[in-house]
Amino acid sequence: MSHSHDHHDHSNCNHDHGHHGSKDKVVNEELALRQQQADKLAKSIVKLIELSNEHKKVVMSKQVAGTVNKADVEFMMKEMKLSKAEAERILKINNSDLKASVDYVFTH
């Protein structure tokens, strides 16, 4: 009985014997699909970071541009022993909410 094909160890084989094709195709399709999904995920992450940065800019600009009640500033200065700049900054951070600003002083 003669064989037209020499048999050898296939564990390190890098040439096609004709019986791995369909399995390789499925694996390659799965890899391609996973790469597409990874690319979509990466794009989504970049977009989220961009939106987060835009949001931070808006929030920070509101804090800086926001006006605070003069009476609240004076109260914070007198009762909490703060400078005018500190009182204004804390009120702005807390959206001009006097109670939140007082709480902030005690917790920070």
Side-chain angles (χ1 to χ4, degrees), residues 41-104:
L41 185 58
K43 286 178 185 174
S44 296
I45 290 169
V46 168
K47 186 66 177 170
L48 281 171
I49 291 169
E50 289 171 357
L51 290 171
S52 173
N53 289 337
E54 286 175 29
H55 179 72
K56 281 181 194 171
K57 285 178 189 172
V58 169
V59 169
M60 294 304 283
S61 69
K62 282 183 180 177
Q63 287 178 357
V64 171
T67 57
V68 291
N69 184 319
K70 199 172 187 175
D72 290 347
V73 173
E74 288 173 8
F75 173 87
M76 293 288 287
M77 289 169 62
K78 182 179 176 191
E79 300 300 325
M80 307 306 294
K81 309 285 189 239
L82 299 172
S83 70
K84 184 177 182 184
E86 288 173 320
E88 288 176 343
R89 183 181 66 82
I90 291 169
L91 282 161
K92 286 177 184 177
I93 288 170
N94 291 285
N95 298 315
S96 297
D97 181 328
L98 184 58
K99 182 187 180 320
S101 297
V102 170
D103 290 344
Y104 180 91

Side-chain angles (χ1 to χ4, degrees), residues 1-7 17:
M1 195 190 269
S2 80
H3 291 282
S4 63
H5 180 78
D6 289 331
H7 286 280
H17 288 278

Side-chain angles (χ1 to χ4, degrees), residues 6-54:
D6 289 331
H7 286 280
H8 55 271
D9 179 9
H10 293 276
S11 62
N12 293 318
C13 192
N14 62 6
H15 58 271
D16 187 13
H17 288 278
H19 51 74
H20 295 296
S22 63
K23 194 174 188 180
D24 289 346
K25 184 178 179 189
V26 170
V27 169
N28 287 335
E29 287 173 357
E30 178 66 22
L31 287 172
L33 181 63
R34 288 185 185 195
Q35 186 60 53
Q36 287 174 347
Q37 291 169 337
D39 291 345
K40 282 182 183 178
L41 185 58
K43 286 178 185 174
S44 296
I45 290 169
V46 168
K47 186 66 177 170
L48 281 171
I49 291 169
E50 289 171 357
L51 290 171
S52 173
N53 289 337
E54 286 175 29

